Amino acid sequence: MKKFTHKFAAPLVLMMCLLVGCNNDDDSLQLIDEEEFLTAKIDGIDLFVQGEEGKISCEKYVTHTGSIDVLLRVGAASGESIEFRLSNYIGNNSYSLGSSNFPGSWIKYRQGEGEWLNIKGNSQNLIEILEDDGNYLTGRFSFQGHNGIDLSRKFISDGNFKVKFDL
């Protein structure tokens, strides 16, 4: 019986321990990969909003004219926010705000009571959609914002985001 235990049972027990003890890390990697975030530089100062640390909302909808629009809203706990609307949305593409192809599109930055909206016709006002898989929207952006009340400007650069569409 001792031979049987050493030759067959011990390796079998060892194999079962290895199978049970192995952990599939793919689940944890998937959670990190699916994390929602938005990053940008506001006049050179970093803004970082991540999933639970802020409010993130993104919706895709059909307008009354039959075109598709995308509306994204991201708010940080600090009170800063970035919002944009892409009219005539066509998926992965570069959207030049204020161009005749996307006339209703805009992007803005808010901080406290101040609001800086993209300047029409400025070639720096760009949103690029890199991926839209139906669940998540991934892209980058940059723009020059103008405050119509105090005539100040903000330069928003190096913007990146990955957000989940609202259901």
Side-chain angles (χ1 to χ4, degrees):
M1 182 74 171
K2 195 173 184 181
K3 266 186 171 182
F4 175 79
T5 304
H6 285 291
K7 280 190 171 187
F8 297 105
L12 184 61
V13 170
L14 179 63
M15 178 96 77
M16 289 178 69
C17 288
L18 288 173
L19 288 173
V20 172
C22 288
N23 184 7
N24 185 352
D25 291 334
D26 288 346
D27 292 340
S28 61
L29 290 175
Q30 187 175 11
L31 289 175
I32 292 170
D33 187 44
E34 292 181 0
E35 184 76 36
E36 293 182 283
F37 70 89
L38 181 136
T39 62
K41 290 189 182 293
I42 314 300
D43 288 335
I45 299 171
D46 290 332
L47 171 66
F48 180 75
V49 180
Q50 187 175 22
E52 297 174 6
E53 298 171 5
K55 295 181 181 179
I56 298 175
S57 171
C58 186
E59 61 182 299
K60 189 187 312 181
Y61 58 93
V62 178
T63 67
H64 68 280
T65 62
S67 67
I68 296 174
D69 284 9
V70 169
L71 181 61
L72 176 132
R73 294 183 179 123
V74 176
S78 65
E80 293 174 278
S81 68
I82 291 182
E83 298 179 18
F84 69 72
R85 176 180 166 210
L86 295 175
S87 65
N88 300 324
Y89 179 71
I90 54 175
N92 297 3
N93 196 23
S94 290
Y95 296 83
S96 179
L97 305 180
S99 74
S100 59
N101 293 333
F102 311 107
S105 299
W106 50 263
I107 188 168
K108 65 182 160 187
Y109 167 73
R110 286 187 181 147
Q111 181 180 32
E113 296 296 315
E115 179 176 282
W116 292 264
L117 188 62
N118 65 280
I119 299 171
K120 300 285 185 195
N122 186 325
S123 62
Q124 294 177 346
N125 300 328
L126 184 68
I127 299 173
E128 185 177 5
I129 302 301
L130 302 173
E131 185 176 1
D132 176 351
D133 67 3
N135 293 313
Y136 285 87
L137 186 67
T138 305
R140 55 184 166 219
F141 62 93
S142 63
F143 71 101
Q144 182 178 10
H146 175 75
N147 183 308
I149 296 172
D150 66 10
L151 305 180
S152 63
R153 292 185 182 208
K154 296 271 186 192
F155 296 95
I156 292 80
S157 62
D158 302 324
N160 292 288
F161 61 89
K162 181 176 182 181
V163 296
K164 188 172 184 174
F165 284 110
D166 298 343
L167 299 176

